[in-house]
């Protein structure tokens, strides 16, 4: 493997690395969305189970205040395209569960692509490593062997 | 691709069909009842020419759907619920609100007041109507091959869009596609801004065997792209694919730079590239780009990862420009020319 080929492989590796980075952040984004939906479902369940609709309302910087939810069964939900509709608590939970399923399907796709990219990167990294070893061996082969000193002489 | 949207549309199709079917059954039952109990209303024979009811006190005026010579007129009330569900379905799939409204209006226009022969397939009527409504918002698509064949060479195509959506990879894919179709192609490496961008496009060009024109990093992209066009003209190259740095429409300096590129390069086509998974954001950005630098067509990448499909459905209607390609994977041949009829068939077809 010559120097030029090694350089090209390094470029490939870098490019795949950049792509992998984009897909990783996409995966993270999807995961955050999924976790958020789960947390919201939990909150909606909590509201249904609460007798007086009392919640802790976070106002930032770790500060919270007690607040009462007037209509715990009326949820204003962004269903997509920035359109907000009113749903019952149970309907909102169903909607969020569907969203989670969708997000998980997307996550699966992205994860598959990422896996493919990573295996390609591993393959390239292996070839680069082999190339370096070949180069080092070739260098050793052309270097003159140091003269052996015979102690008896 | 767009599996979620397909599932939802199929469900909506069934719901509308059921609503109409229920109306048909009700009409038939009421028709039979009226024939036996309302002796003053003569039963219409198949040969008789139907006449509309003149007063709401007559039997025909009282029923929601009425049968005239074995025909059913579809009444808005009968399908209101199903249409509302269709509307929600579209919105939940990230189809933009104006596009959803256009689809619903179209469906209403084609179904309500329509005379339908009883016995005619309800499903065929619903599917036909939905297909027509979707085709209406999807536009005609954009056939790049035909465009290149019918325009003076070199055809100069400028690619714009935000960062990280796969613009450079898309250019490589299009280069690969055009090369396979027998066109000669040169790529202008106009993204001189992002570290690694020039290397990236250089690797792509080398892999697909396409000549690339590039300057130093940080060079004026207008100059690079001008050189690419000069090279194409002097070497009788068919197509120039001009890469540019990704930018947000809110960055004034970068948008000015794009304006300069456009002045210097005089592109035949400006293509806006964004990702299908961005949903409504992609539509808003495309709209803003179209307003500021203009766009002749749109490409959506990562369509294989988008189960909702709303962006692909909405973008052409929202910005008034056709969708040209859909990116569907990581390989160079993972790009498909956008064909509205094919997409609609995939979404609403039986297979």
């Amino acid at each position: 493997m010559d120097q030029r080929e090694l350089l090209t492989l390094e470029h490939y590796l870098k490019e795949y690395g950049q792509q992998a980075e984009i897909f990783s952040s996409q995966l993270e984004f999807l995961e955050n969305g999924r976790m958020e939906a789960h947390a919201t479902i939990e909150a909606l369940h909590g509201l249904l189970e609460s007798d007086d609709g009392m919640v802790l309302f976070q106002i930032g910087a770790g500060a919270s205040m007690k607040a009462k939810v007037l209509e715990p069964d009326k949820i204003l939900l962004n269903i997509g395209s920035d359109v907000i509709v009113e749903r019952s608590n149970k309907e909102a939970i169903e909607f969020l569960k569907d969203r989670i399923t969708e997000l998980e399907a997307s996550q699966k796709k992205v994860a598959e692509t990422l896996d493919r990219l990573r295996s390609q990167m591993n393959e390239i990294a292996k070839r680069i490593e082999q190339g370096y070893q070949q180069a080092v061996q070739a260098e050793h082969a052309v270097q003159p062997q140091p003269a052996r000193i015979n102690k008896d002489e | 691709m767009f599996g979620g949207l397909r599932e939802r549309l199929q469900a909506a199709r069934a719901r509308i069909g059921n609503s109409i079917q229920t109306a048909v059954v009700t009409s038939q039952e009421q028709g039979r009842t009226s024939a036996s109990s309302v002796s003053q209303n003569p039963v219409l024979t198949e040969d008789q020419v139907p006449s509309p009811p003149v007063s709401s006190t007559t039997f025909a005026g009282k029923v929601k759907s009425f049968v005239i010579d074995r025909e059913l007129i579809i009444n808005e009330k009968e399908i209101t619920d199903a249409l509302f569900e269709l509307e929600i379905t579209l919105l939940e799939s990230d189809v933009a609100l104006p596009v959803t409204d256009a689809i619903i209006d179209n469906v209403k226009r084609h179904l309500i007041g329509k005379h339908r022969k009883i016995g005619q397939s309800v499903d065929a009527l619903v599917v036909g109507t939905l297909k027509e409504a979707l085709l209406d918002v999807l536009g005609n698509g954009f056939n790049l091959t035909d465009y290149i064949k019918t325009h003076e060479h070199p055809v100069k195509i400028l690619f714009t869009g935000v960062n990280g959506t796969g613009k450079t990879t898309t250019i490589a894919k299009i280069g690969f596609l055009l090369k396979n179709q027998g066109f000669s192609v040169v790529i202008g490496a106009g993204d001189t801004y992002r570290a690694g961008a020039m290397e990236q496009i250089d690797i792509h060009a080398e892999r697909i065997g396409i000549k690339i024109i590039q300057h130093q990093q940080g060079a004026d992209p207008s100059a690079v792209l001008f050189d690419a066009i000069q090279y194409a003209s002097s070497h009788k190259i068919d197509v120039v694919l001009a890469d540019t740095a990704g930018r947000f429409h809110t960055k004034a300096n970068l948008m000015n730079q794009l304006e300069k590129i456009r002045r210097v390069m005089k592109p035949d086509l400006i293509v806006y590239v964004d990702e299908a998974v961005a949903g409504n954001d992609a539509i808003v950005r495309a709209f803003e780009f179209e307003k500021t630098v203009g766009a002749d067509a749109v490409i959506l990448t990562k369509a294989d990862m988008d189960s909702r499909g709303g962006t692909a459905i909405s973008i052409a209607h929202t910005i008034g420009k056709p969708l040209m390609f859909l990116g569907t994977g990581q390989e160079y041949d993972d790009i498909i020319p956008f064909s509205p009829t094919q997409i609609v068939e995939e979404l609403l077809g039986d297979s």
Side-chain angles (χ1 to χ4, degrees):
Chain A
M1 195 181 291
D2 62 14
Q3 192 72 14
R4 196 181 132 68
E5 204 175 336
L6 265 177
L7 211 61
T8 310
L9 283 175
E10 274 177 0
H11 280 163
Y12 283 2
L13 193 61
K14 200 169 164 189
E15 195 227 317
Y16 280 135
Q18 282 171 348
Q19 282 187 22
E21 216 170 284
I22 291 171
F23 284 115
S24 292
S25 57
Q26 203 152 18
L27 203 57
E28 200 183 321
F29 177 76
L30 290 168
E31 180 59 12
N32 287 343
R34 198 179 70 89
M35 297 299 285
E36 199 183 337
H38 273 298
T40 311
I41 288 175
E42 210 172 307
L44 288 171
H45 275 305
L47 270 174
L48 270 187
E49 284 158 15
S50 156
D51 294 332
D52 53 0
M54 195 70 82
V55 293
L56 274 181
F57 179 56
Q58 295 190 357
I59 53 172
S64 304
M65 58 205 321
K66 278 186 179 176
K68 196 165 183 172
V69 178
L70 294 177
E71 296 175 314
D73 200 37
K74 283 187 181 173
I75 311 297
L76 297 176
L77 195 65
N78 185 342
I79 58 165
S81 308
D82 289 336
V83 173
I84 293 164
V85 295
E86 189 182 289
R87 292 269 170 97
S88 72
N89 195 311
K90 276 185 181 161
E91 284 169 347
I93 288 173
E94 281 311 306
F95 175 85
L96 290 171
K97 281 182 180 167
D98 286 348
R99 267 286 188 265
I100 289 172
T101 310
E102 236 174 53
L103 285 168
E104 283 171 347
S106 298
Q107 272 182 314
K108 193 170 168 255
K109 281 257 177 198
V110 178
E112 278 169 9
T113 310
L114 199 56
D115 279 350
R116 219 169 28 243
L117 273 174
R118 283 184 178 145
S119 90
Q120 280 168 325
M121 283 169 73
N122 283 341
E123 201 56 45
I124 294 172
K126 257 188 226 164
R127 283 175 62 190
I128 291 175
E129 183 59 33
Q130 281 169 0
Y132 276 130
Q133 279 176 3
Q134 279 172 12
V136 170
Q137 279 168 4
E139 208 172 300
H140 278 275
V142 294
Q143 267 178 6
Q145 292 291 317
R148 188 172 289 170
I149 301 164
N150 193 334
K151 282 182 184 171
D152 300 335
E153 281 178 11
Chain B
M1 205 167 49
F2 311 147
L5 180 60
R6 181 185 147 82
E7 225 168 84
R8 286 182 169 146
L9 279 176
Q10 294 284 359
R13 159 189 165 175
R15 277 197 299 270
I16 298 175
N18 285 341
S19 300
I20 296 174
Q21 197 59 55
T22 308
V24 171
V25 172
T26 312
S27 299
Q28 283 174 321
E29 280 170 1
Q30 284 172 333
R32 275 195 292 275
T33 313
S34 80
S36 58
S37 65
V38 190
S39 57
Q40 63 268 35
N41 278 353
V43 179
L44 294 170
T45 65
E46 284 184 34
D47 302 329
Q48 278 179 300
V49 181
S51 57
V54 289
S55 154
S56 61
T57 55
T58 62
F59 163 71
K62 287 175 189 166
V63 293
K64 286 186 285 182
S65 312
F66 49 94
V67 182
I68 308 167
D69 194 16
R70 297 194 172 199
E71 269 192 345
L72 168 82
I73 298 178
I74 299 166
N75 185 311
E76 182 167 2
K77 273 188 183 171
E78 283 140 7
I79 55 168
T80 298
D81 288 349
L83 283 180
F84 180 69
E85 282 180 41
L86 173 65
E87 189 176 356
I88 295 294
T89 290
L90 292 168
L91 291 171
E92 284 182 356
S93 302
D94 259 345
V95 177
L97 186 58
V99 181
T100 301
D101 286 346
I103 293 173
I104 297 293
D105 282 350
N106 202 316
V107 172
K108 268 189 194 169
R109 216 173 36 247
H110 283 89
L111 281 183
I112 292 167
K114 188 160 186 149
H115 290 243
R116 200 188 67 78
K117 288 273 181 203
I118 291 174
Q120 181 190 346
S121 159
V122 171
D123 193 48
L125 174 75
V126 173
V127 171
T129 305
L130 283 174
K131 280 184 179 174
E132 209 167 308
L134 282 176
L135 283 173
D136 201 44
V137 295
L138 286 174
N140 299 322
F142 189 103
N143 190 323
L144 183 62
T145 312
D146 282 354
Y147 183 91
I148 294 170
K149 280 181 185 164
T150 52
H151 285 76
E152 197 183 326
H153 292 187
V155 172
K156 298 160 281 177
I157 309 173
L158 178 68
F159 292 85
T160 65
V162 296
N163 307 303
T165 53
K167 188 156 35 64
T168 305
T169 312
T170 301
I171 291 171
K173 286 178 179 180
I174 293 176
F176 185 68
L177 180 86
L178 294 177
K179 194 184 161 205
N180 287 344
Q181 288 176 346
F183 295 111
S184 51
V185 182
V186 64
I187 293 176
D191 185 356
T192 57
Y193 181 75
R194 179 168 62 93
M198 285 166 61
E199 272 174 11
Q200 188 191 357
I201 192 115
D202 197 28
I203 292 167
H204 283 310
E206 194 186 309
R207 276 192 198 162
I208 57 181
I210 286 179
K211 172 78 182 168
I212 183 167
I213 303 295
Q214 54 186 348
H215 290 187
Q216 297 289 320
Q217 193 176 336
D220 182 357
S222 312
V224 181
L225 299 178
F226 183 78
D227 279 358
I229 293 165
Q230 291 300 104
Y231 177 88
S233 301
S234 58
H235 290 78
K236 299 200 178 335
I237 302 278
D238 298 321
V239 188
V240 178
L241 301 177
D243 191 17
T244 59
R247 66 201 75 211
F248 280 90
H249 56 273
T250 45
K251 298 274 180 196
N253 56 337
L254 287 174
M255 291 310 277
N256 289 340
Q257 187 192 60
L258 199 54
E259 179 53 38
K260 184 183 170 191
I261 292 172
R262 201 177 69 159
R263 264 198 326 270
V264 173
M265 190 190 157
K266 297 186 180 67
D268 298 299
L269 287 175
I270 301 177
V271 178
Y272 176 77
V273 183
D274 210 322
E275 48 190 16
V277 284
N280 205 44
D281 287 350
I283 295 164
V284 172
R285 290 195 295 242
F287 185 74
E288 292 298 331
F289 258 83
E290 210 286 311
K291 261 198 329 195
T292 36
V293 282
D296 298 297
V298 180
I299 294 176
L300 288 176
T301 62
K302 302 176 192 168
D304 55 321
M305 293 176 191
D306 177 34
S307 79
R308 290 196 204 171
T311 319
I313 301 293
S314 309
I315 210 153
H317 187 267
T318 310
I319 71 165
K321 304 291 171 183
L323 195 48
M324 189 191 262
F325 286 108
L326 291 174
T328 56
Q330 290 306 296
E331 304 301 326
Y332 288 120
D333 52 4
D334 286 337
I335 188 162
I336 50 172
F338 179 73
S339 158
T341 44
Q342 204 179 325
I343 288 287
V344 167
E345 206 48 56
E346 266 181 43
L347 291 174
L348 286 164
D350 289 320
S351 59

